[in-house]
Amino acid sequence: MVAEIIKPENIAYAKSKVLTDAPMHYCPGCSHGTVHKILAEVIEDLGIQDKTIGITPVGCAVLLYSYLDIDWVEAAHGRAPAVATGIKRANPDMHVLAYQGDGDLAAIGTGEIIHACNRGENITVIFINNGIYGMTGGQMAPTTLVGMKTATTPQGRQVDINGYPFKVSEIMAQLPGTSYVTRQAVHTPGAVRQAKKALKKAVEKAYAGKGTSFVEFVATCSSGWKLSPTEANRWMTENMLPFYPLGDLKDN
Amino acid sequence: MSELRLMKGNEVIAEAAIRCGCDAYFGYPITPQSEVMETLMELRPWETTGMVALQAESEVASINMVYGAASTGKRAMTSSSSPGISLMAEGLSYLAGAELPCLVVNVSRGGPGLGTIQPSQADYFMATKGGGHGDFHLIVLAPSSVQEMHDFVFLAFDLAFKYRNPAMILADGVIGQMMEKVKLLDPRPRRTREEVLRDTGSWAATGKSNRPRNIITSVELDPAKHEKFNQKLQVKYAEMREKEVRYEELLCDDAEYLIAAYGISARIGQKAVELLRAEGVKVGLFRPITLYPFPTVQVAARAKQLKGILCVELSAGQMIEDVRLSVGSSLPVAHFGRNGGVIHSPNEVVEAMRQVFEF
């Protein structure tokens, strides 16, 4: 009976060969692990494991190179788009992929991401937006919602002091160098399927030399938000998604 | 057949980069070295050797583009001047921490701050002692002629790849801007993908196929492992100190006094030596070519016969610290130098010698 079930033609789902066996260090409920998984599946589906060079950020995903079985380059905080530019320009045949969080990409690395996208570097950028600095202990990010409590906005983000939450994808969509800008999430099975499709399209377009692909993931940080994984998903749906609506912003 | 041309120091950096098979240049305009990138854009090497030349949005981006290209085993470089090199400090630390070879050219100008666009040698500390956080060293070469601007591009890349360590050419605004006769070496082709894989495939991020994945990183969360890595770096620096010291001595055999100077100050010092010799003063010139590794043993050996050393620098006295560390308190070591963009004349150096050593 068991042998019947595990016959290859009956396998509906298997772990991607591009994922390593290393146990992920992420907190329960964190979106990073799911995004890593679909990224691995996209790389496997497209058969570009040997053609992909990834850039890991400074932030919670700093150890991403432990989880995907491709060549990796660890960048300084915020510099991944510049590092990606250097790799891609010197190796135009490779698929180059930068993975960044909101502190990394939208605060310290604002200059690098805007200019890489504006030059239309043929790279894929994955942007994890959970509205908070996860690794350093839950401080305010540029994308923190108004009123949202963080370690550095204990009374909640106030616009007169901290300014406004930063809609990065909307800016990237304005730049002529981007060819595909989309905002996705991985909080439900349906969203994961949708996000994987979008990610695949992003990688295909960048690898085909159409310009920069920019994929934002509105993500949870249950530790930083001080919520259970279930509550974090609900909070994200009720608060983050109205401000950061899902869907394609640009598809040229 | 090598080719003879009259060229500016900055222009020759660009010409030498193409000729030595450099794969990629990333830079940001800053005086007094903007001719490096301008010359590259004029020469359009992407149409001939396939070398990439790209103007970045900042020095921070430039050095990180270099980091990216160097991660893939390519010969990558940037050039800038003092304030721009300050911005690259983070990137240099990451390059050293990830053991990546690359070339950074600093055509230095007067600081601190925005300072002046005139020549200076006040970046010696930054180049040899610091230039970023953590225990690391750059390989630092100091050209004192346009010819050496050319030659050291080749040498810097060779040393950078030999040791998997960033190398710096520390020039100054004079060497960058002046024109001299230069003998250009025959072009050597850029390495093919097969050659890159052969030479750097054991570590470079070239795309994982038929081998465990290569990871370029400087992060290590286990302190015991990180201490071990730091010790490995120190072994590398010790090997450089043993094998890569380069220097030049002029009229030192019978010298009682020494002028120690590098870069443009060595050229000025050379004239001062001529003037003093004409007066019968037995003085020689000691010119460190590698500022890191510094020719410590060689200065100390020469010091045994000397009554004193005058360190001549376009700074308030930086290299003098390495000279003093080399010779200890065995003889007087004094500093002379103009700074802030002012250049000393040979006569001022002669006068300083007279005053310091009272002859």
Side-chain angles (χ1 to χ4, degrees):
Chain A
M1 180 64 186
V2 173
E4 178 72 17
I5 292 169
I6 62 171
K7 275 183 7 190
E9 60 267 32
N10 289 337
I11 293 175
Y13 180 77
K15 174 174 158 284
S16 167
K17 290 183 186 71
V18 177
L19 273 180
T20 68
D21 291 329
M24 290 191 189
H25 69 282
Y26 299 110
C27 307
C30 172
S31 304
H32 274 304
T34 312
V35 177
H36 290 9
K37 188 195 75 160
I38 60 172
L39 176 58
E41 290 171 358
V42 164
I43 290 170
E44 184 177 357
D45 290 354
L46 295 174
I48 53 170
Q49 185 179 13
D50 60 337
K51 288 281 178 195
T52 300
I53 300 173
I55 297 119
T56 65
V58 172
C60 288
V62 65
L63 300 178
L64 165 55
Y65 55 68
S66 306
Y67 310 131
L68 262 67
D69 190 20
I70 57 172
D71 279 2
W72 285 104
V73 178
E74 158 60 26
H77 198 29
R79 314 301 174 219
V83 173
T85 300
I87 296 174
K88 181 66 182 180
R89 293 287 181 132
N91 301 272
D93 297 339
M94 301 301 287
H95 170 240
V96 181
L97 169 93
Y99 190 109
Q100 300 181 268
D102 44 33
D104 194 83
L105 183 143
I108 196 166
T110 323
E112 283 79 8
I113 190 63
I114 285 184
H115 287 283
C117 286
N118 197 48
R119 283 191 302 265
E121 298 294 340
N122 295 310
I123 59 173
T124 307
V125 178
I126 295 175
F127 168 48
I128 305 294
N129 173 14
N130 55 17
I132 207 158
Y133 283 72
M135 192 174 70
T136 46
Q139 295 84 8
M140 181 187 70
T143 48
T144 297
L145 298 178
V146 174
M148 189 173 160
K149 287 183 180 176
T150 71
T152 49
T153 54
Q155 283 80 40
R157 181 176 191 157
Q158 292 173 250
V159 292
D160 55 341
I161 298 173
N162 311 113
Y164 297 89
F166 192 13
K167 291 189 174 182
V168 179
S169 290
E170 278 75 357
I171 293 173
M172 297 311 148
Q174 297 296 313
L175 302 173
T178 53
S179 79
Y180 184 48
V181 180
T182 186
R183 188 182 280 124
Q184 301 290 329
V186 289
H187 60 309
T188 65
V192 172
R193 276 195 297 275
Q194 176 60 37
K196 185 180 164 183
K197 251 198 259 174
L199 187 57
K200 190 171 182 179
K201 184 184 205 174
V203 170
E204 281 175 325
K205 291 189 81 164
Y207 192 34
K210 307 277 186 205
T212 312
S213 288
F214 189 91
V215 187
E216 173 177 347
F217 287 92
V218 182
T220 53
C221 177
S222 38
S223 297
W225 296 354
K226 305 194 188 314
L227 298 171
S228 72
T230 317
E231 289 167 344
N233 265 354
R234 192 179 309 126
W235 191 88
M236 186 182 90
T237 309
E238 289 170 2
N239 297 278
M240 295 282 279
L241 295 187
F243 191 76
Y244 298 114
L246 304 183
D248 290 353
L249 286 90
K250 181 179 187 180
D251 184 5
N252 284 353
Chain B
M1 281 292 286
S2 56
E3 189 184 336
L4 211 56
R5 265 195 235 168
L6 182 67
M7 290 184 86
K8 242 185 180 188
N10 287 336
E11 293 167 354
V12 91
I13 290 284
E15 183 70 40
I18 300 168
R19 285 177 180 252
C20 85
C22 180
D23 295 299
Y25 172 96
F26 305 99
Y28 185 80
I30 183 170
T31 310
Q33 65 77 54
S34 296
E35 296 91 346
V36 179
M37 185 162 49
E38 288 170 3
T39 305
L40 280 170
M41 297 311 181
E42 194 69 39
L43 292 173
R44 298 195 300 279
W46 50 91
E47 291 177 2
T48 50
T49 71
M51 174 186 172
V52 172
L54 181 67
Q55 180 169 341
E57 65 270 27
S58 67
E59 288 91 346
V60 174
S62 303
I63 195 70
N64 282 286
M65 290 175 186
V66 167
Y67 178 95
S71 292
T72 64
K74 301 283 185 173
R75 289 172 174 259
M77 69 177 288
T78 183
S79 64
S80 188
S81 181
S82 311
I85 302 292
S86 290
L87 282 168
M88 293 183 188
E90 174 197 56
L92 287 169
S93 176
Y94 275 73
L95 281 151
E99 293 193 273
L100 293 177
C102 71
L103 168 60
V104 176
V105 181
N106 180 1
V107 183
S108 58
R109 61 188 242 185
L114 194 53
T116 171
I117 59 171
Q118 302 300 326
S120 169
Q121 294 181 308
D123 292 355
Y124 182 93
F125 285 156
M126 180 162 74
T128 63
K129 314 287 181 193
H133 59 282
D135 270 333
F136 77 91
H137 285 288
L138 307 174
I139 299 163
V140 185
L141 303 171
S144 73
S145 64
V146 175
Q147 184 65 54
E148 283 188 339
M149 287 288 254
H150 170 273
D151 298 348
F152 289 179
V153 170
F154 287 72
L155 176 61
F157 269 121
D158 288 347
L159 292 175
F161 273 83
K162 180 174 175 188
Y163 291 95
R164 276 187 61 190
N165 200 71
M168 176 178 280
I169 292 179
L170 181 62
D172 52 69
V174 186
I175 305 286
Q177 290 295 329
M178 72 184 186
M179 293 186 88
E180 284 189 310
K181 184 176 69 177
V182 57
K183 199 165 93 179
L184 300 170
L185 283 176
D186 289 341
R188 74 184 179 195
R190 283 174 59 234
R191 286 175 304 168
T192 60
R193 172 150 175 97
E194 288 64 38
E195 287 165 337
V196 170
L197 290 175
R198 179 198 68 201
D199 296 344
T200 67
S202 62
W203 57 266
T206 52
K208 177 203 176 316
S209 56
N210 307 318
R211 59 159 169 77
R213 67 190 185 281
N214 284 339
I215 299 167
I216 303 294
T217 183
S218 57
V219 65
E220 176 52 69
L221 299 177
D222 178 344
K225 283 188 190 165
H226 198 51
E227 183 182 44
K228 214 166 215 167
F229 171 72
N230 266 279
Q231 287 163 348
K232 185 185 143 200
L233 283 185
Q234 292 306 315
V235 168
K236 185 162 82 172
Y237 303 141
E239 191 187 340
M240 289 177 196
R241 288 195 296 270
E242 192 191 324
K243 296 180 182 166
E244 304 302 343
V245 167
R246 287 164 173 79
Y247 65 101
E248 187 183 46
E249 288 188 320
L250 178 75
L251 300 175
C252 285
D253 288 348
D254 66 341
E256 294 176 353
Y257 299 97
L258 208 61
I259 291 173
Y262 68 94
I264 191 60
S265 284
R267 297 288 287 274
I268 296 163
Q270 186 180 340
K271 184 68 187 173
V273 167
E274 276 175 37
L275 294 173
L276 285 163
R277 283 269 170 185
E279 291 177 20
V281 182
K282 289 184 174 171
V283 57
L285 177 78
F286 189 96
R287 177 169 79 95
I289 291 171
T290 49
L291 302 182
Y292 191 89
F294 191 78
T296 304
V297 177
Q298 294 76 8
V299 175
R302 186 55 73 191
K304 286 182 186 138
Q305 71 191 59
L306 301 173
K307 292 179 181 167
I309 301 176
L310 184 71
C311 297
V312 179
E313 308 174 61
L314 288 174
S315 75
Q318 299 194 5
M319 181 196 69
I320 190 172
E321 294 196 0
D322 280 332
V323 174
R324 283 195 174 130
L325 280 171
S326 304
V327 304
S329 54
S330 59
L331 78 167
V333 177
H335 162 74
F336 174 72
R338 306 294 299 271
N339 53 32
V342 180
I343 303 167
H344 29 242
S345 70
N347 284 326
E348 285 177 306
V349 176
V350 168
E351 192 50 39
M353 284 289 286
R354 280 203 196 98
Q355 279 182 15
V356 170
F357 299 118
E358 298 173 345
F359 49 73

